Amino acid sequence: MYSNRKSFIIKLLVVACIVYLCIHVFTNNAGRVIRELQESGRNLAALDNANLEQSAAAALVNENEIKEPMPIAEPTKEPEPPVQKPVPTPEPTVLEKVQRLTQCLDKPLVPKTQQRGDYWVLYNYIIAEKTFRCHESITYTTHADYSFMDNLVPLLERWKGPVSIAMHAPGTDFANTLESIAYLRDCTSSLVREYTTFHIYFSTKHVPKEVPKPSSLFTELYNCSLSPPFLNVSTENMYKAQKKLLYPVNVGRNVARETAQTHFILPSDIELYPSPNIIEKFLTMIAENKGPLLSKNPKVFPLHIFEVSANQQVPDNKTMLKEMLVNGTALPFHKKLCPGCHSVPKAKEWQNARETKGFHVFHVGKRNGRFIHWEPIFIGTHADPLYDERLSWEGKSDKMTQGYALCVMDYDFLILDNAFLVHKPGIKVYKKDPRRSMLAAKTNQLIRKIIFPELKVLYGVKKGCAV
Ligand SMILES: *[C@@H]1O[C@H](CO)[C@@H](O)[C@H](O)[C@H]1NC(C)=O
Ligand SMILES: *[C@@H]1O[C@H](CO)[C@@H](O)[C@H](O)[C@H]1NC(C)=O
Ligand SMILES: *[C@@H]1O[C@H](CO)[C@@H](O)[C@H](O)[C@H]1NC(C)=O
Ligand SMILES: *[C@@H]1O[C@H](CO)[C@@H](O)[C@H](O)[C@H]1NC(C)=O
């Protein structure tokens, strides 16, 4: 009796186990099928007609599988033949249109150590987790030393796309640079790991004591209770200052630009935060391919730049920016420092125009007349001229030679209506800097006597163009 009951309980348990297992396996399968269905839905837009029909048929079959609740004992039913509905040819997606219009080529992200003039460059030293095909996004390309790294997270939160950054890290600045990157990757927003690719460069005369291979970097997590290595850096303690080195801004700009994976790039300064959703809206405008976009001239897309007071928030959209311009908490960039450098054609009209949906070309400008010395920051492509690597940040005029080339090549400057950049909060005031003034005078000589004659040979001359 007792043993009979025991064996009955054991049998019951076995049956229960089998039923449990069956249900478990089945629900897992159903989950997978649902995931596949969702995925095939997502991919629909990208599929061609034939594929579409196939996956529609597959979806119907899968649906039948899910609707069958208990397949354990019953014989499996024949799935009903899929209903053949005529499927309209899908409209190409924005990204497909961008791909077709740009005919761009994809670029892998591969680390390499290479010399570039007087510098060693560790290209793609630390690679972003997300990689992009050339038509899929816009890369924000920029340069910095580690004391500027507090800007990276606010920048990424507004950009939410690929960032390529070249960091100047001579001598002992190298170790601090690596620490700063480790802190940003381990202790701040996940956007840093996802989107940011770091390159490092230094003069051949100021090679750090130790340079780890990319594969042996960051084997341990950073101790996030330590304070960020890039906060409150006193510049005079940096290797660069102690050795009185200049900041080779254009080496950095070019390294960051050349390694960008996408066709469209926004070469900028790390303290300039973009207005949100630029990537999506810009690519939608490119895909529409209307109006001034059809002109035969080469083109770039300059952004208006503003600065806001130190205690203010960076505006989230043009509507908010306009209110801040009215109440005086925002100003056009460098209005007090160098009004000619950044004033944009039709600026008053732009500031008065209301925010609209999406992006459009507000005005097509040229770098001539009142704007002959304009140093615009713009969305462009790899076809645009690079920056002259003989010029330093301290010597100023570091973008003027590119501006001259754009003018001679008759570039159109397609100014966007709802996109803008805002400098990290704090309005710049003029500070006397005798060393910088001396270097600026030297740079002007270099441009006038050596670089400008070269540019005239290489790009030609055109009335109304100047460096
Ligand atoms: C991390 O840094 C804090 C503050 O200096 C220290 O107290 C702590 O012991 C460190 N943790 C580890 C695991 O090293
Ligand atoms: C940086 O300096 C500011 C002002 O001097 C101070 O309030 C802040 O606590 C410092 N931050 C760190 C992390 O040392
Ligand atoms: C602009 O941004 C502000 C602040 O985030 C928000 O309240 C407002 O709705 C936005 N306006 C538009 C037109 O998007
Ligand atoms: C100016 O306008 C902005 C945006 O509407 C607002 O956040 C800010 O408080 C205003 N400041 C002053 C001083 O009125």
Side-chain angles (χ1 to χ4, degrees), residues 316-317 319-320 355:
D316 283 338
N317 50 43
T319 307
M320 192 174 167
E355 179 174 7

Side-chain angles (χ1 to χ4, degrees), residues 73-104:
E74 281 180 74
T76 44
K77 270 191 214 152
E78 280 290 304
E80 284 175 22
V83 184
Q84 296 286 338
K85 279 191 208 141
V87 183
T89 316
E91 170 78 354
T93 61
V94 164
L95 292 187
E96 284 170 335
K97 286 185 190 164
V98 173
Q99 186 174 29
R100 234 169 272 167
L101 287 164
T102 59
Q103 300 279 310
C104 61

Side-chain angles (χ1 to χ4, degrees), residues 409-424:
M409 292 155 91
D410 204 21
Y411 265 70
D412 285 342
F413 293 81
L414 276 50
I415 298 156
L416 298 172
D417 57 354
N418 298 314
F420 57 90
L421 296 165
V422 179
H423 194 275
K424 173 188 172 179

Side-chain angles (χ1 to χ4, degrees), residues 227-228 231-232:
S227 70
L231 268 201
N232 293 352

Side-chain angles (χ1 to χ4, degrees), residues 144-154 167 173 175-189 192 198 222 226-235 238 270 424:
D145 64 39
Y146 72 91
S147 67
F148 281 85
M149 295 316 277
D150 56 321
N151 294 292
L152 187 60
V153 172
M167 303 202 53
D173 286 347
N176 290 322
T177 303
L178 283 190
E179 297 270 295
S180 298
I181 296 172
Y183 181 90
L184 285 161
R185 284 170 62 92
D186 290 345
C187 313
T188 68
S189 164
V192 175
F198 296 88
Y222 197 84
L226 301 171
S227 70
F230 47 82
L231 268 201
N232 293 352
V233 176
S234 61
T235 15
M238 291 175 68
I270 193 165
K424 173 188 172 179

